[in-house]
């Protein structure tokens, strides 16, 4: 089973949300469709997958998520720019 750490954004250099999951496509769909209306991502319209990373274990993904949440915003923006300089929505990359 695969586990993911991911960042979704409202737009380029917009609001960011860091999370982890074992089903990235489903989780991004939940953010995009605002299935949890009172959530942070629904409130700030955060649903564009701009960065993700694959992990072999749930524990490793969780630890990486916690580390990233402590990072400064500028570090997160640099990491996104390195992987995805155009800030494309990477969901299509996962779904084929």
């Amino acid at each position: 089973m695969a586990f993911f750490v991911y960042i979704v954004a409202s737009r380029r250099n917009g609001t960011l949300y860091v999370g982890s999951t074992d089903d990235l496509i489903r989780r991004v769909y939940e953010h995009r469709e605002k299935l949890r209306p009172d959530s942070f991502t629904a409130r700030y319209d955060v649903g564009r997958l701009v960065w993700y990373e694959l992990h072999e274990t749930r524990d490793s993904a969780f630890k990486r998520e916690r580390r990233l949440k402590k990072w400064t915003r500028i570090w997160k923006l640099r990491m996104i720019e390195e992987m995805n300089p155009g800030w494309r929505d990477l969901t299509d990359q996962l779904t084929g």
Side-chain angles (χ1 to χ4, degrees):
M1 176 174 256
F3 301 92
F4 299 88
V5 179
Y6 65 92
I7 299 176
V8 287
S10 58
R11 64 184 186 285
R12 183 182 197 112
N13 297 320
T15 304
L16 303 176
Y17 175 83
V18 177
S20 63
T21 184
D22 61 354
D23 188 342
L24 187 55
I25 294 169
R26 176 190 52 80
R27 192 69 182 108
V28 171
Y29 174 81
E30 290 173 355
H31 289 306
R32 186 173 291 149
E33 298 301 316
K34 300 172 183 59
L35 297 183
R36 298 177 185 172
D38 295 332
S39 70
F40 175 87
T41 56
R43 213 173 14 253
Y44 294 98
D45 197 25
V46 177
R48 178 190 299 190
L49 178 65
V50 294
W51 180 89
Y52 67 92
E53 184 176 84
L54 182 64
H55 288 262
E56 291 184 15
T57 67
R58 184 178 309 278
D59 186 55
S60 147
F62 181 75
K63 285 178 180 174
R64 175 69 163 159
E65 174 193 3
R66 291 294 162 213
R67 262 185 261 129
L68 290 179
K69 286 188 178 208
K70 293 178 182 178
W71 279 22
T72 66
R73 177 178 173 76
I74 193 74
W75 295 350
K76 293 172 197 169
L77 293 175
R78 283 185 191 146
M79 185 175 67
I80 293 165
E81 290 281 341
E82 287 175 11
M83 178 187 185
N84 185 5
W87 287 67
R88 294 179 341 272
D89 187 335
L90 301 174
T91 306
D92 293 341
Q93 199 177 61
L94 297 172
T95 58

